[in-house]
Amino acid sequence: MPGRAERRSSDLENIGRKLYGRSLLSGGLCGKAKQQFITPAEEKLLDALVTGENTTMPQIPSSKKKKIRPSSAAANLQSHPSFTSGLYGTTARPSTALGQDRGLFGQRPATQAGGPRRPWQFKGQTETQPEKEVIKHGRRLTLGAVDGIAESDNFTRPGQIHGSIAQQLKNKIEEKINIDTLEELKRAFQLADVNRTGCLELDEFKQLLKSQLALTANREQQIDALFMKIDWSSEGSITWDEFCTYMQLEYREKEDSYHRTKEVSFHLPAKIENIPHRDPILKITDTSDGTFVACSQDGIVSFWNTNADIRRTRSVVNSEQNNRQKPKWITDFVIMPHFNKFIVGTGDREIQFFELSSFEPYCQVSGLETVPLKLHYSSTGYDECLILYGDSQGCVNILVIKSAGECLRTWKKMPRHDGFIASISLDSVASGPNVQFIRWQVHGDWVQQLKYYHDIGQVISCSNHANTALVIGCTIGSTHVEQQLKEVKDPGAGQDRNKGKGFYAYNNTKTRLEADQAIFRVYKGVKCFDFSKEKNIMITGGMDRIIRLWNPYVSGKPTAMLRGHNAPIFYLFIAEEDNRIFSLSTDRCIKIWDIQDQNCLLTVRPKGHKIRGDLQAVHYSHTAKAIAVATDQMACLSLRMKPVLHADIVITHKEPVTCCKYNPSFKQVVTCSDGSVIKLWDFETGTPIFEYGDAHGDSAITTMTFDNTGRRLITGGRDGILRIWNYNNGHCLRVLEKEEENEEVCDVTYVEMNKNRYVVSVGWDRRINIYYDSLSDSNIHHVQHPLEYWNDDLKNGHKEDILTVAQCPPNLLATASYDGEVIVWNMVSGHIFCHLIPPSPPHYQDQSLDGDLSINKLVFLQTRAYKKDAGSLVSSGPRAHIHIWNVFQGGKLMAQFPGSSVKGAMVSTMITNKANTLLFTGDSMGFIYAWDIDNYCHDTPADSPPELFKTWRGHVESITDFDLMEERKILLSTSMDCTVRMWTTDGHYVGTFGQPEPWDLYNPATYQHPMVPYDVLIDPMSLPSHPLLGEKQTTHQIIHEDSTHGSDDEKPRRTPSPPPPVFGKSTFYVDDKTIAEQLKEKPFEKGKGKRLRHEKLKPVRIDRGGPSEYQMLRTYNLVDTPQPTPPSLHYNKDDPFDSLFID
């Protein structure tokens, strides 16, 4: 009876032939030992296949119906492992629908080339996958990892489930819906509509989703949120069309967001420079610092930076050797960084070593059987390495070197060849105790490329021979293992073998066993390849213009084929960190591919990069993020890198953040940036939810607010346009703009008065624009224009740009402008209620030419708004002072106090709590101040500032906006430093939106406190002022402090010399009075503007005494010009044309 192992072997062979047309026991990736072919997990899986046990491996469904899924992609912000963006409790989100079948089961194979398609298996999850989900996630049977090649655990795709089960419960219900469930929902929608109105109310919608999607009771809150997202107009019911529109728009925005994360581009055109090489360049490589190294056939080695600027050139050819009829021909080179050597192969069948620093000849290995066409070096351990070369006979030759440093020093002591370099024959090298020479017959044509990967212990080589296009094989092989066993039994046999080792090395070329190699057959062969252990893929390219992606242990069929090149593939490279493939064809067309989606991200043709000539060598440097291309010139193409502020600083947006708002209905935080990007964040954890860009095209978003229901977002931009959004799916509901001359919008507020709703905006047009908000009219007019301006606004309104607006129910509206004027309006009549012009504070000095008068924020204290004697309006300026006004009886200033402790800082934003007892202010230096204004200016004016009970620095640049959540005692702050941060009202740092580790708002242990943001910590302004340094004004005063103080008992000391004058460009603060005085002193008849500025900035000549510069000039005697040497008139009859002197 055959044993279990024999039965399993037979069944595996049958399964493999049925699935792949070949046996699973042959081919694939070979290892050092046969027992490493299959991991324990795979062995368990295959045993289950043989015995028919139930496994988690998907089965082929009996139905032939193909499942269609909505084309969608998760947003950029949901791709982080710590974010939760899956569908619902137990399954993954709908995958993007593919345009063609991939693999046996119509799905992409489960390799890292195609990206994992099944949900992650969490610890403790033991139930098997339901049959319904098996149909959705069919995948090809693929063996697991062997020999160190494994699927990466951290390889993620946006939309996959990550984290614990508790995190999965927060996944959105929308993600559970696909095409199949939509069909079922539509039928159920009609049945659930009991009153036959075509709409579903909230209770009906809840019952529908619970019955169709099998939702648990703890999902009611999410169903309520989904209903409110769809019912943006607050009508209380939704139609089927609204439901489908919401789903479609959300998936579209996710797809756009996903594609934005994949965007890549080069700096075009390429930087091109001439080369010092006379012969074609053989190869380009790079060093650890990103320097490109190129070598040509004539032995000239050149070093280049990423700007295509040549740094130095060297030569590896003996220029003093004159007895050669033809110059030495270099075939390839490689750098030996561990021993600082430069290795070249020559047409004289030599491998030469040079010092990398000085390029002095070190040693060479001569007497090779064939010309080394391709070289490769790999370090395999401490003082151990491999040197490989491929030849024209298709052989892979391997030098396994132990004690490499000792071997090199021994070879250097050998006699010099032609007095140039120490030489040792391959016979002597192979017979040495520390070197083993192995020669494999691998290909049927020249070796085009070879490389040893130490992580997997395999050699990969390729050729143009179709049947041996690419071969993955071992270095030593099982044949040598048997010989080593004989040497252990009979030590004398090994000594006899060593005596004739040179003969064995040359004449006994071996062919690997089938179990020691895997052969990949490709039509027309393989010209180039690359392999990634992390991604577990291998790519090949050749004459057929197709890039093939392979599972390295399945050689029967590629997992994907990338088409798009119109010429043979010349170069391939896998950028693991960026998840990209770089390819270049012989027609100089450069393409960048996405490994995960298997699509082309970028194509750069010769008209774009301006590279001319035939390709000679190409190399991509991961360090420099650039491609070096050698033709008859050297060209460098650098990738456009997205700006990163600091490696240790977490940023929320890539651009300065202008505003943020908290939505209590959905418990979300919405942030906007100068890059016209809107992002949604989970308030309780700080994790990103959704984002969409180009909200205002290329214009920055300057302000935003919510409507009265909190379901619509209103944004204003520098394009002068207001947009109303269903911000949960990025749908623009309406556009508010003037009929002509749209100028930047600075602030916007939403007003509800007498059951009417308005959107009020102010900006650079110096007018108050009022838009009527009608939900019934939104479906008719997508673009809406403002109402007519108030007469008082046209005649007596602001004369400068309006920067802020504030509203106080029921009918007061306040606006402030750039010149420091505050106007309070009656919204019912449109008349001015009062003008407020603050006086200049006592002993105040202007800190800037034009910014001191601006008012960036107005806040109404609504609890005391209609108390006749109380201060009810707070302004953030002018002159860096906070002003509190009483708006009745023509306006009265109740208090005036500095808003910042930093000299020159302006108050940039303010916010108060609902009880109007706390006032939070932020300045242009990033400091946050908390003031106690309870009973402050409640009845009478105040001469002193209110109590400042807390101050801290939250940002390193100007704070742009605040938002306050009183129920959780949380303060949000945004800044020009691209961050949005969360604080407690006591100043404790909770975290920055966008940080990798989420926080739990209900667990203070997860807060960043007592730490502070890193950029704030290292900023010099965050340091407390030292009392000693505070008294001194200049470094000169600190140095000479002792010399300026004396006692009565001591002798009077010499007064130190005054500080040396500093000559350079100074900064002048000039007011109107100074200009008028200067005009009187130096009147100009025609000079204006630029002439006046030239006179003010003209350097003043200082008389330092002594001789002038002219008197200090040195003089020299003139020297006669030497006469040229007359030409020789001697005639040489043997050489009448003097050809011997022609170079």
Side-chain angles (χ1 to χ4, degrees):
M1 292 293 291
R4 175 183 176 91
E6 288 79 359
R7 292 198 307 270
R8 187 183 67 180
S9 176
S10 176
D11 292 334
L12 285 178
E13 184 174 357
N14 294 332
I15 292 172
R17 295 188 184 279
K18 183 176 179 180
L19 294 179
Y20 304 113
R22 57 182 292 276
S23 173
L24 288 177
L25 298 180
S26 62
L29 187 64
C30 58
K32 296 181 180 179
K34 296 182 180 180
Q35 59 269 25
Q36 293 181 354
F37 273 31
I38 302 174
T39 61
E42 295 158 0
E43 184 176 359
K44 182 179 179 181
L45 176 61
L46 294 174
D47 286 340
L49 285 174
V50 174
T51 58
E53 297 176 5
N54 185 22
T55 65
T56 57
M57 178 180 172
Q59 305 294 325
I60 304 177
S62 58
S63 175
K64 299 293 184 180
K65 181 178 179 181
K66 182 179 179 180
K67 300 298 180 180
I68 303 174
R69 304 175 186 179
S71 175
S72 63
N76 171 28
L77 298 174
Q78 294 179 338
S79 62
H80 196 278
S82 63
F83 304 154
T84 57
S85 60
L87 312 182
Y88 53 103
T90 57
T91 61
R93 51 155 301 165
S95 59
T96 305
L98 299 177
Q100 59 181 352
D101 291 344
R102 299 180 185 268
L104 184 63
F105 298 144
Q107 289 292 335
R108 185 181 300 168
T111 64
Q112 293 299 351
R117 288 291 179 176
R118 293 190 299 179
W120 295 105
Q121 298 295 329
F122 298 98
K123 295 181 179 180
Q125 183 177 353
T126 59
E127 67 263 18
T128 58
Q129 198 174 9
E131 177 64 22
K132 183 177 180 180
E133 300 303 324
V134 170
I135 297 176
K136 294 182 181 180
H137 302 284
R139 58 186 286 183
R140 176 189 298 170
L141 171 64
T142 306
L143 292 181
V146 295
D147 286 350
I149 301 182
E151 292 187 359
S152 176
D153 293 336
N154 58 3
F155 188 88
T156 61
R157 174 182 174 85
Q160 286 183 332
I161 302 175
H162 307 282
S164 62
I165 299 297
Q167 290 175 325
Q168 294 181 53
L169 294 177
K170 300 182 68 175
N171 297 326
K172 297 193 295 185
I173 300 174
E174 302 96 293
E175 297 291 351
K176 188 176 180 180
I177 301 173
N178 54 26
I179 292 295
D180 296 333
T181 54
L182 274 178
E183 295 176 357
E184 299 175 2
L185 282 174
K186 184 177 181 180
R187 292 190 294 267
F189 195 94
Q190 298 172 353
L191 297 176
D193 186 12
V194 180
N195 50 11
R196 302 301 177 188
T197 60
C199 304
L200 288 186
E201 296 180 354
L202 178 59
D203 295 336
E204 297 173 336
F205 185 69
K206 282 184 179 180
Q207 186 65 28
L208 172 65
L209 291 187
K210 287 181 180 179
S211 60
Q212 294 298 319
L213 302 182
L215 300 178
T216 57
N218 59 355
R219 293 303 188 91
E220 289 195 6
Q221 187 175 1
Q222 294 188 23
I223 298 177
D224 295 342
L226 177 60
F227 185 85
M228 288 190 293
K229 293 176 183 178
I230 301 173
D231 183 26
W232 56 267
S233 58
S234 303
E235 295 178 352
S237 62
I238 60 174
T239 64
W240 174 252
D241 291 340
E242 291 175 343
F243 178 78
C244 293
T245 300
Y246 172 82
M247 298 300 301
Q248 180 182 4
L249 291 174
E250 182 179 16
Y251 280 130
R252 186 190 67 180
E253 289 298 332
K254 287 185 176 182
E255 188 78 18
D256 295 341
S257 177
Y258 179 70
H259 288 319
R260 281 196 298 270
T261 64
K262 302 290 185 179
E263 291 179 355
V264 60
S265 61
F266 286 106
H267 290 280
L268 297 177
K271 183 69 181 302
I272 303 175
E273 293 292 341
N274 295 326
I275 58 177
H277 304 273
R278 292 172 292 181
D279 290 346
I281 294 178
L282 300 169
K283 182 180 178 180
I284 303 175
T285 186
D286 65 325
T287 59
S288 58
D289 61 349
T291 301
F292 291 107
V293 183
C295 181
S296 58
Q297 289 182 1
D298 56 0
I300 301 298
V301 182
S302 57
F303 294 80
W304 306 78
N305 61 12
T306 53
N307 294 325
D309 297 328
I310 189 168
R311 293 184 173 180
R312 57 180 176 137
T313 58
R314 295 291 186 269
S315 177
V316 293
V317 176
N318 185 10
S319 59
E320 299 179 357
Q321 188 176 7
N322 299 323
N323 57 356
R324 293 181 60 96
Q325 296 181 354
K326 294 182 179 180
K328 185 180 288 290
W329 173 33
I330 304 298
T331 59
D332 198 8
F333 80 93
V334 69
I335 296 177
M336 196 177 186
H338 301 86
F339 299 94
N340 199 32
K341 297 295 185 291
F342 188 85
I343 309 175
V344 298
T346 69
D348 295 342
R349 302 179 182 180
E350 301 165 341
I351 298 178
Q352 297 182 338
F353 297 79
F354 294 85
E355 290 286 355
L356 184 58
S357 56
S358 61
F359 277 84
E360 292 293 331
Y362 194 82
C363 63
Q364 73 174 13
V365 178
S366 60
L368 276 64
E369 183 177 340
T370 53
V371 176
L373 297 179
K374 297 295 178 181
L375 288 175
H376 182 68
Y377 163 82
S378 177
S379 175
T380 57
Y382 177 74
D383 207 21
E384 296 179 357
C385 66
L386 291 181
I387 297 177
L388 305 89
Y389 67 90
D391 54 30
S392 58
Q393 296 181 0
C395 294
V396 174
N397 305 268
I398 306 172
L399 286 171
V400 182
I401 306 176
K402 298 180 180 178
S403 301
E406 180 183 351
C407 289
L408 290 175
R409 288 190 294 269
T410 303
W411 298 348
K412 183 176 175 58
K413 297 176 182 179
M414 302 304 290
R416 289 181 173 268
H417 177 68
D418 293 335
F420 175 67
I421 187 171
S423 179
I424 183 173
S425 65
L426 183 60
D427 298 343
S428 302
V429 170
S431 61
N434 296 325
V435 179
Q436 183 180 1
F437 179 75
I438 305 165
R439 179 177 172 86
W440 297 111
Q441 180 64 52
V442 180
H443 301 281
D445 199 352
W446 291 10
V447 177
Q448 296 289 334
Q449 183 181 348
L450 83 163
K451 190 173 183 181
Y452 173 78
Y453 293 91
H454 181 59
D455 294 335
I456 60 176
Q458 305 294 314
V459 178
I460 304 179
S461 58
C462 67
S463 71
N464 289 329
H465 188 244
N467 291 330
T468 56
L470 186 136
V471 178
I472 304 178
C474 59
T475 55
I476 299 177
S478 57
T479 56
H480 289 270
V481 173
E482 298 174 0
Q483 184 65 32
Q484 291 173 3
L485 291 176
K486 292 181 180 179
E487 293 177 2
V488 173
K489 295 179 180 179
D490 187 6
Q495 296 176 1
D496 295 338
R497 175 177 170 268
N498 288 334
K499 293 180 181 179
K501 194 171 183 178
F503 176 81
Y504 170 81
Y506 288 128
N507 299 328
N508 292 277
T509 301
K510 299 292 184 179
T511 302
R512 293 192 185 105
L513 297 179
E514 184 179 0
D516 289 338
Q517 66 179 2
I519 301 176
F520 295 76
R521 296 172 176 84
V522 180
Y523 177 65
K524 292 187 178 182
V526 172
K527 174 70 176 176
C528 53
F529 69 88
D530 198 10
F531 169 75
S532 171
K533 176 182 178 295
E534 179 182 349
K535 301 300 180 183
N536 199 20
I537 63 169
M538 183 172 58
I539 57 175
T540 60
M543 298 294 295
D544 61 352
R545 304 166 295 176
I546 300 175
I547 300 173
R548 291 174 171 84
L549 278 67
W550 302 84
N551 187 328
Y553 44 87
V554 178
S555 60
K557 184 179 180 181
T559 59
M561 292 191 292
L562 307 179
R563 306 174 188 269
H565 281 287
N566 298 321
I569 310 299
F570 186 84
Y571 177 78
L572 290 173
F573 181 80
I574 299 176
E576 297 177 346
E577 291 79 3
D578 301 325
N579 207 32
R580 297 169 183 160
I581 296 174
F582 292 82
S583 64
L584 194 144
S585 55
T586 54
D587 59 354
R588 305 183 304 281
C589 177
I590 303 173
K591 286 182 177 290
I592 302 179
W593 310 80
D594 183 74
I595 297 177
Q596 194 170 339
D597 294 335
Q598 300 173 6
N599 61 345
C600 184
L601 302 176
L602 177 68
T603 299
V604 182
R605 304 192 184 278
K607 289 185 178 180
H609 54 62
K610 307 296 184 184
I611 300 176
R612 300 291 182 265
D614 296 334
L615 291 180
Q616 298 176 5
V618 181
H619 182 74
Y620 175 80
S621 172
H622 171 70
T623 304
K625 300 291 184 183
I627 296 179
V629 181
T631 56
D632 51 358
Q633 294 176 315
M634 179 64 72
C636 285
L637 273 170
S638 300
L639 285 175
R640 291 184 181 272
M641 304 303 297
K642 296 179 181 179
V644 178
L645 296 182
H646 197 282
D648 299 322
I649 298 176
V650 177
I651 59 174
T652 307
H653 285 261
K654 297 182 179 65
E655 306 85 10
V657 186
T658 54
C659 47
C660 72
K661 285 290 183 291
Y662 169 67
N663 191 315
S665 300
F666 304 106
K667 294 184 178 180
Q668 296 173 352
V669 175
V670 184
T671 60
C672 301
S673 72
D674 271 354
S676 195
V677 176
I678 300 175
K679 290 187 178 183
L680 278 66
W681 308 83
D682 184 13
F683 171 68
E684 296 179 351
T685 62
T687 56
I689 299 174
F690 191 61
E691 76 163 39
Y692 49 97
D694 298 329
H696 285 256
D698 297 332
S699 302
I701 300 174
T702 55
T703 181
M704 70 173 176
T705 188
F706 286 109
D707 67 350
N708 59 333
T709 64
R711 304 186 188 183
R712 295 181 298 162
L713 179 70
I714 306 169
T715 61
R718 288 183 183 156
D719 54 359
I721 298 176
L722 295 169
R723 296 182 185 271
I724 302 178
W725 305 86
N726 181 357
Y727 73 96
N728 285 288
N729 61 359
H731 181 203
C732 182
L733 304 173
R734 207 183 321 167
V735 176
L736 311 180
E737 62 178 358
K738 297 195 301 182
E739 296 183 4
E740 57 183 10
E741 296 182 1
N742 289 309
E743 297 185 77
E744 178 176 332
V745 177
C746 294
D747 200 4
V748 63
T749 186
Y750 194 86
V751 177
E752 188 173 9
M753 184 177 63
N754 298 331
K755 297 184 179 181
N756 294 321
R757 295 183 291 269
Y758 304 94
V759 178
V760 181
S761 69
V762 294
W764 287 11
D765 59 354
R766 306 175 183 179
R767 294 290 173 261
I768 301 174
N769 298 282
I770 303 176
Y771 301 87
Y772 182 69
D773 183 29
S774 174
L775 298 177
S776 60
D777 192 43
S778 61
N779 296 324
I780 302 175
H781 301 290
H782 182 69
V783 179
Q784 184 177 341
H785 302 299
L787 303 176
E788 293 184 0
Y789 294 124
W790 295 331
N791 290 330
D792 265 10
D793 188 16
L794 295 174
K795 296 179 182 179
N796 305 315
H798 289 280
K799 303 301 187 293
E800 274 291 346
D801 302 341
I802 305 177
L803 301 182
T804 181
V805 60
Q807 189 258 347
C808 181
N811 62 345
L812 289 184
L813 186 77
T815 57
S817 59
Y818 188 76
D819 57 0
E821 181 183 18
V822 180
I823 301 179
V824 182
W825 307 80
N826 187 331
M827 289 195 65
V828 176
S829 62
H831 294 302
I832 295 177
F833 192 72
C834 63
H835 274 276
L836 306 176
I837 301 178
S840 178
H843 310 294
Y844 177 76
Q845 296 180 355
D846 291 341
Q847 301 295 330
S848 62
L849 289 176
D850 52 1
D852 277 352
L853 298 179
S854 63
I855 299 177
N856 296 314
K857 193 68 176 179
L858 291 174
V859 174
F860 267 110
L861 305 179
Q862 297 185 12
T863 57
R864 54 174 100 167
Y866 291 94
K867 294 182 179 179
K868 302 297 183 181
D869 299 329
S872 58
L873 180 63
V874 184
S875 65
S876 65
R879 301 178 182 89
H881 278 59
I882 297 175
H883 297 72
I884 299 180
W885 298 89
N886 183 314
V887 298
F888 295 99
Q889 300 177 359
K892 178 182 178 182
L893 181 62
M894 302 291 290
Q896 184 185 53
F897 57 91
S900 176
S901 59
V902 182
K903 186 177 182 180
M906 306 292 293
V907 180
S908 55
T909 186
M910 300 186 303
I911 195 171
T912 182
N913 59 348
K914 293 181 181 179
N916 300 138
T917 58
L918 296 177
L919 177 67
F920 294 91
T921 63
D923 64 14
S924 57
M925 297 299 178
F927 288 89
I928 301 174
Y929 304 87
W931 310 84
D932 183 7
I933 58 172
D934 190 16
N935 296 324
Y936 184 74
C937 295
H938 200 276
D939 298 320
T940 58
D943 296 330
S944 60
E947 178 186 357
L948 178 64
F949 70 89
K950 193 68 177 180
T951 179
W952 70 93
R953 194 175 192 198
H955 301 270
V956 295
E957 295 189 31
S958 176
I959 298 176
T960 55
D961 197 11
F962 279 149
D963 203 1
L964 185 64
M965 284 66 69
E966 295 186 51
E967 61 277 4
R968 298 301 307 169
K969 295 183 179 181
I970 293 296
L971 177 70
L972 297 178
S973 63
T974 67
S975 172
M976 298 297 289
D977 61 6
C978 308
T979 61
V980 179
R981 288 176 175 146
M982 180 182 290
W983 314 84
T984 65
T985 52
D986 295 329
H988 295 171
Y989 177 40
V990 178
T992 300
F993 288 94
Q995 68 183 27
E997 301 83 8
W999 61 75
D1000 184 0
L1001 197 61
Y1002 304 97
N1003 183 13
T1006 61
Y1007 295 176
Q1008 296 290 331
H1009 180 77
M1011 295 189 296
V1012 296
Y1014 181 74
D1015 53 342
V1016 174
L1017 179 65
I1018 64 176
D1019 192 78
M1021 287 196 63
S1022 303
L1023 298 176
S1025 58
H1026 196 278
L1028 179 62
L1029 298 179
E1031 299 176 358
K1032 307 298 182 295
Q1033 299 297 324
T1034 63
T1035 307
H1036 182 80
Q1037 295 180 1
I1038 298 174
I1039 295 175
H1040 298 283
E1041 177 187 13
D1042 296 336
S1043 60
T1044 56
H1045 297 282
S1047 60
D1048 297 336
D1049 299 336
E1050 297 178 352
K1051 296 181 179 180
R1053 300 180 180 179
R1054 183 178 60 87
T1055 303
S1057 58
V1062 179
F1063 302 99
K1065 185 175 180 180
S1066 303
T1067 303
F1068 295 91
Y1069 301 100
V1070 184
D1071 54 6
D1072 295 339
K1073 183 178 180 181
T1074 305
I1075 294 176
E1077 293 177 355
Q1078 291 182 355
L1079 289 174
K1080 292 179 181 179
E1081 296 175 358
K1082 296 183 178 180
F1084 302 103
E1085 297 179 358
K1086 300 180 180 180
K1088 296 179 180 178
K1090 293 182 180 179
R1091 178 66 181 271
L1092 178 61
R1093 188 183 68 173
H1094 171 73
E1095 290 295 328
K1096 290 189 297 182
L1097 300 180
K1098 183 173 65 176
V1100 180
R1101 182 180 179 84
I1102 301 176
D1103 186 10
R1104 301 181 178 87
S1108 63
E1109 288 83 353
Y1110 177 76
Q1111 295 172 341
M1112 296 172 63
L1113 292 177
R1114 296 184 179 181
T1115 58
Y1116 300 92
N1117 297 326
L1118 296 176
V1119 179
D1120 295 336
T1121 304
Q1123 295 296 329
T1125 303
S1128 175
L1129 300 179
H1130 176 69
Y1131 174 74
N1132 187 358
K1133 63 181 180 178
D1134 296 330
D1135 187 16
F1137 297 102
D1138 289 338
S1139 61
L1140 296 177
F1141 298 97
I1142 297 177
D1143 188 4

